[in-house]
Amino acid sequence: SDTTGDVVRTMQGEGWNLTYHGFDLRNGFNLLRDSLLEKIGKPVDLAWFHPPYAGMIAYSGNQWGTHPHPDDLSHCSNYGDFLEKLAVSLKNIYRALKRGGVYGVLIGDWKKDGVYHPLGLDLR
């Protein structure tokens, strides 16, 4: 939804010197297959990631697009599959950081069918 982009543009309007790059599977960037570092062209000081929550909200084939995308983290076959794809995503983002860069992940917890998933604790 580009909420982070909206915040950065507001801060730029208030005099902050920020550069923003926002990418999404919906717009053709696949974090599981495409190099974030190559896409940006140089290492970054700060990376911010807000991934889908393992099926809490189905994006491709539901919120956008006509068919589920196989690399959409909101369409994983099970929680283990979600964690594996999340790990690939996290490593891709980490490789795009400058040495000493900062990396933030916005993620909450999820409960489905009576099973509690502490997503923040399961980041790897």
Side-chain angles (χ1 to χ4, degrees), residues 73-118:
L73 272 69
S74 74
H75 280 286
C76 294
S77 59
N78 57 56
Y79 192 62
D81 182 41
F82 168 74
L83 292 177
E84 287 177 25
K85 289 179 177 178
L86 182 62
V88 170
S89 300
L90 294 168
K91 289 174 186 171
N92 189 350
I93 296 167
Y94 181 78
R95 286 190 294 271
L97 283 178
K98 286 183 181 176
R99 184 179 201 106
V102 177
Y103 186 170
V105 179
L106 174 61
I107 197 162
D109 298 329
W110 182 45
K111 184 176 180 182
K112 182 174 182 172
D113 300 326
V115 178
Y116 173 73
H117 301 282

Side-chain angles (χ1 to χ4, degrees), residues 21-61:
H21 303 276
F23 305 107
D24 195 290
L25 183 61
R26 169 183 60 188
N27 299 320
F29 182 77
N30 187 334
L31 193 55
L32 298 180
R33 309 216 182 271
D34 303 327
S35 167
L36 182 60
L37 179 57
E38 288 179 17
K39 179 73 172 173
I40 295 170
K42 63 180 183 177
V44 298
D45 295 304
L46 170 69
W48 182 257
F49 184 41
H50 186 200
Y53 290 15
M56 184 181 294
I57 298 172
Y59 289 100
S60 64

Side-chain angles (χ1 to χ4, degrees), residues 56-71:
M56 184 181 294
I57 298 172
Y59 289 100
S60 64
N62 185 23
Q63 299 290 321
W64 54 268
T66 57
H67 302 289
H69 192 288
D71 293 333

